[in-house]
Amino acid sequence: LYVLEFTTNKLLYSSHVHLWFVYTLIGAYLFIPIIQKWIKNATQKDILYFLLLWGIVILFNYSFLNSYMPAIDVSYFSSFIGYMILGYFLRHTDNKLLNNKSFALFLFMIGNMITVLGTYYLSAKSGVFQEDFYFYLRINVVISATGFFLFFKNLSVKEGWVLTFIRFISKHSYGIYLVHILIMYLLAYVGMHVSIAHPIVSIPLVTGICLLVSAF
């Protein structure tokens, strides 16, 4: 009875903080049969039209832009489904600029720079930490994700231990994602957390250890 109650509770009210992704993914997957029929018959202009609207709508997700949002309900364009369509478009595009690794790195750096400067400005202005630029449905995160995706899409890795490692992580990425939060707690418990050194050192170090232990 306890197991049944526990399971029902988690299904209705969600589970641990990082598992929001699982529930979001289930919701997105339910739309795939519908989107699939549209996207297979859509032209590149049709897809770009959707992505343009998606970009404009999520632009108004920033709290400081809310008051400028017109009284037109286009909220159905602001969901995570936009990432699925964006991924499809980027996967199949033959645009030379989008398939340039240098441009991909530029996009990644620009998106991150907007995140850093925007966060600094809002936090300094309010006197407390503001994470408006950290949410996934933000144009700066879309730009970073686009650059990250395009860079690895066009990256050629020769056979060797690097490719073997990438394949291993790719194959087990979902399991790593599910378990990594537990590993983070365990690492923090034994004193391995981001406060042990300067963030430039501690974040990559803890991330690397967490990745390897989670993969194991």
Side-chain angles (χ1 to χ4, degrees), residues 15-163:
S15 189
H16 209 289
V17 58
H18 76 302
L19 295 179
W20 70 269
F21 176 75
V22 178
Y23 299 97
T24 302
L25 201 62
I26 292 170
Y29 279 174
L30 291 173
F31 276 89
I32 285 181
I34 301 166
I35 296 171
Q36 194 175 39
K37 290 183 179 179
W38 170 75
I39 210 163
K40 282 187 174 181
N41 294 288
T43 64
Q44 199 168 59
K45 286 185 177 179
D46 294 332
I47 297 172
L48 283 172
Y49 169 73
F50 176 92
L51 292 174
L52 178 64
L53 282 178
W54 182 61
I56 292 171
V57 170
I58 65 173
L59 192 63
F60 289 98
N61 283 340
Y62 296 105
S63 58
F64 54 89
L65 291 178
N66 279 342
S67 57
Y68 300 101
M69 184 65 177
I72 304 170
D73 185 10
V74 285
S75 56
Y76 34 79
F77 274 105
S78 64
S79 72
F80 283 95
I81 290 173
Y83 273 112
M84 297 171 68
I85 295 172
L86 176 63
Y88 177 90
F89 172 77
L90 295 176
R91 171 67 181 82
H92 295 282
T93 184
D94 55 2
N95 184 284
K96 288 185 178 180
L97 184 61
L98 291 177
N99 287 312
N100 184 295
K101 289 198 293 290
S102 297
F103 181 69
L105 279 175
F106 172 75
L107 287 178
F108 182 69
M109 291 170 65
I110 287 294
N112 285 340
M113 191 62 68
I114 295 171
T115 304
V116 171
L117 296 178
T119 301
Y120 177 80
Y121 173 76
L122 291 181
S123 300
K125 187 178 179 182
S126 65
V128 293
F129 176 68
Q130 298 290 333
E131 56 181 4
D132 213 11
F133 283 86
Y134 274 71
F135 296 113
Y136 301 122
L137 287 172
R138 297 292 187 270
I139 203 71
N140 53 295
V141 178
V142 172
I143 293 170
S144 293
T146 298
F148 194 81
F149 181 93
L150 288 173
F151 179 80
F152 282 99
K153 172 196 168 186
N154 296 293
L155 182 67
S156 298
V157 182
K158 294 180 181 179
E159 286 289 345
W161 70 269
V162 174
L163 188 60

